[in-house]
Each structure stands twice: as structure tokens, then as C-alpha cells.
Amino acid sequence: MPATQAETTAMERALSLAARGPKGVNPQVGAVILSPTGEVISEGWHHGAGTAHAEVDALSRLPEGSARGATAVVSLEPCNHTGRTGPCSRALLEAGVARVVYAVADPGDTSSGGAAWLRAAGVDIEPGVLADAGTRLLDSWLTVQRLGRPHVTVKWAQSLDGRAAADDGTSRWITGPAAREDVHRRRAEADVIAAGIGTVLADDPALTARTPEGALREHQPIPLILGRREIPDDAAVRSHPRPFLHRRGHDLSAVLAELSDLGVHCVFVEGGPTLASAFVRAGLADEMLAYLAPVLLGGGRLALDDIGVSTIRDARRLRTVSVDLLGDDLRVIARPAATAEPTKGE
């Protein structure tokens, strides 16, 4: 049976609840429990690794037996495996839930299959409700599940004519305060912030995440410097609250594999045109984050250089996710157009 209006509204709420949870190795998931007549009787979300999953969190807020015949509206397909916690599919069945509506199928090899298991047990299943919104929320986590490596966001700021700096190399500040604040917020959401050694030598960035007042934010990404040259003893990155990593090789896939082994989930690439272009050229940029300032610089210091395109037929086509005005600047978020959404699961 297609989702009702009450279930669609509940899914909007579930996605909002999911966003309260922390980004990381575990997905952000929200759940809303509807009575047999469509009223919200409970809700919950995943609070972090080792805590109850969203469905169990929502069920735990109900008196025993009151979920019988209810509908569970969940942003991610209920899991079907035992990790730090038990399978949500079993918990829903044992609670007497009669119908499960979810947005995104779980792509995990061990965790997927909850919907099929519940259907086989007689529970009504409705997949794909607000799937696009659910996929956007879980984008970085889904990348890790699908590709087995961290999600990579490549960020740059540019003038309206595509320059990252003036001809003398100066680039502070191309964009305004609102755009810079947005960048620092996104740094704080990443596990690692990557910069090329050329940028470290030229600009001496601190690679910290700061508040608009200049104070350090609570969460700081691990600085990663890529390039063969040495980092100066007085470089600002050496004063970063977290120890930096320095990798001299050019194999970005190997670097990402190492970061994955360290438990890294999200990488924020913010270290100059050479590094940004290398990630794009290697096909390792999952998201492009560009800030366009209404300023003209001319010259040759482009925001990107060689990305492996020699003819228009080879152009790397992107899909625009959003365009927003931040002060006088534009923020454009785009992803590779050929990237397919995960289909494993229901």
C-alpha cells in the first residue's frame, strides 16, 4: 500500500530527528511510531555508536504492548544483524508492529535484509518514501558502505571568473564572512581536513575549525598534509589541537584506504588547486563544494587545473544539489552525475 499522508509527514519528522544524531561510522537514523489510526505515539533517533538504534529508542518510550498494530516510519531500512545492539527487525516484530515504512535501503553486506525478513514474517513493508531526502542525509555514510572508503568533499573558493587567487598568489579573502563561517562549520563536521604541501608552504593555514569569533570549535578535524616536501618547523599546522598526518606519496586511493583503516568517515579537501584537481582527476571527489565570490581577478591562478579533460566530450558532468546565497557569495554543491545511488536491500 502506498504511503499515506500521515506516513509521509512522519518521514519528514524522522529525517529531522535523524539529523540530531552524530555523523560518523554509524548512520544518522530517525524513527516515528504511528498508532493504527495514524497518530504519532513515539519517536526516537540514534544517539551514537553503542546506543539504541532509532527504532528501539522510539519503542523504549512506549508502554509495553502499545506498539501492537502500529506503523514504524524509519529513515533507514531496519537492520538485520547483531552488533553492539540487536537487530531492529526483530525488535519491531516482537513489539507487534504491523507496518514498516522506510526511506533508504541499507546497503551493508551484514546489516541489510531487515525489510525482506519482516515481510516474510507478515509485516507490511513500504520502501523508498522520501528516498531522495533520505539519501542526501546519509550521503557520506552511504559512500563508505558502497565504496569502502571515506566520503570526500572537495572544497574551493573562487572569483566569478574562476580564479582561486590573484596573480601574486594572494587569496585572503576572496569570499565574505558568511561563506567562511559555513566552511568552518563544515570543517568541524569532517574527520580529516586535507591540504597540499604547496598550500601549507604558501599560505601557512592552521587547518582548524573555528567559530565566527575565532575560538576553536569543540570538534577538530585531523590535519592531513599531502606532498613530498617537508613541513616547516614553525608551520601553523604544528600547533593544531590534533596531531597532523603527513603522507608523501601520490596514490590518493592508498591514502584513503589507510584513513578508512583508521576509522575515518569524512575527508574535507581544502588545500589548493593542485590537490583539489588530483582528487577530481582520480575520480575520488564525491562532492564538490564551491564558493563563488562576485569579484574578478583575471590572471592564470585557476581554482582547478588539470583534471584529465582535453575535449568537451570528456567533461566531468555534475549534478547540482543546491545553490545558496551566503552574504554576497554563492555556495554551490554538486556531485558527479554518473554516481548511482545504492540499490542493495529492499
Side-chain angles (χ1 to χ4, degrees):
M1 181 181 73
T4 64
Q5 182 57 54
E7 290 169 348
T8 301
T9 300
M11 184 63 77
E12 292 173 347
R13 175 62 177 167
L15 292 168
S16 175
L17 292 168
R20 297 182 182 183
K23 286 188 175 183
V25 176
N26 292 81
Q28 295 173 291
V29 185
V32 174
I33 309 296
L34 300 177
S35 72
T37 55
E39 289 105 10
V40 175
I41 57 175
S42 186
E43 56 187 31
W45 68 93
H46 184 49
H47 294 256
T51 65
H53 288 188
E55 301 94 317
V56 175
D57 185 43
L59 291 171
S60 70
R61 303 171 191 272
L62 291 171
E64 186 174 352
S66 59
R68 192 157 304 280
T71 295
V73 179
V74 194
S75 57
L76 179 67
E77 176 188 5
C79 68
N80 198 42
H81 80 299
T82 300
R84 294 187 184 181
T85 59
C88 295
S89 54
R90 269 67 169 181
L92 291 168
L93 186 67
E94 291 170 2
V97 168
R99 177 171 163 85
V100 172
V101 176
Y102 66 90
V104 179
D106 189 328
D109 289 332
T110 59
S111 56
S112 63
W117 187 88
L118 285 165
R119 178 179 283 129
V123 176
D124 188 32
I125 301 294
E126 182 61 32
V129 176
L130 299 185
D132 288 346
T135 298
R136 285 195 297 272
L137 174 71
L138 291 172
D139 182 60
S140 60
W141 181 80
L142 289 169
T143 297
V144 175
Q145 304 306 307
R146 184 175 65 242
L147 301 178
R149 61 161 177 78
H151 179 275
V152 175
T153 294
V154 174
K155 170 264 173 183
W156 67 85
Q158 66 174 65
S159 63
L160 200 58
D161 54 347
R163 271 60 183 177
D167 259 354
D168 65 354
T170 56
S171 61
R172 296 182 181 178
W173 298 101
I174 289 178
T175 56
R180 297 199 296 273
E181 180 181 350
D182 189 67
V183 169
H184 281 279
R185 179 179 62 80
R186 291 172 184 274
R187 286 184 182 182
E189 293 175 349
D191 299 316
V192 164
I193 179 170
I197 186 63
T199 295
V200 171
L201 295 174
D203 297 339
D204 195 25
L207 300 181
T208 53
R210 300 183 295 277
T211 67
E213 296 75 30
L216 292 176
R217 291 178 182 262
E218 181 177 357
H219 175 74
Q220 293 292 323
I222 299 169
L224 168 65
I225 312 303
L226 296 167
R228 296 190 182 281
R229 287 176 287 177
E230 293 297 327
I231 301 172
D233 291 340
D234 60 350
V237 72
R238 292 188 179 275
S239 298
H240 195 283
R242 304 187 69 175
F244 66 86
L245 303 174
H246 186 192
R247 298 295 179 265
R248 291 173 169 80
H250 294 292
D251 188 341
L252 296 179
S253 293
V255 172
L256 291 178
E258 179 187 355
L259 293 177
S260 182
D261 290 340
L262 295 174
V264 170
H265 182 76
C266 299
V267 176
F268 194 70
V269 178
E270 199 190 343
T274 300
L275 186 62
S277 300
F279 272 95
V280 174
R281 186 170 60 250
L284 296 173
D286 303 301
E287 180 176 84
M288 267 58 69
L289 174 63
Y291 296 87
L292 281 67
V295 61
L296 302 175
L297 294 176
R301 293 183 179 268
L302 299 174
L304 292 179
D305 46 45
D306 177 20
I307 59 171
V309 175
S310 58
T311 175
I312 192 65
R313 293 192 304 273
D314 299 331
R316 295 176 181 262
R317 302 291 179 182
L318 306 177
R319 174 172 53 87
T320 302
V321 175
S322 65
V323 178
D324 298 288
L325 188 64
L326 301 178
D328 288 332
D329 304 316
L330 281 180
R331 179 187 64 197
V332 179
I333 300 176
R335 295 173 186 152
T339 300
E341 300 297 353
T343 57
K344 183 174 180 179
E346 181 60 25

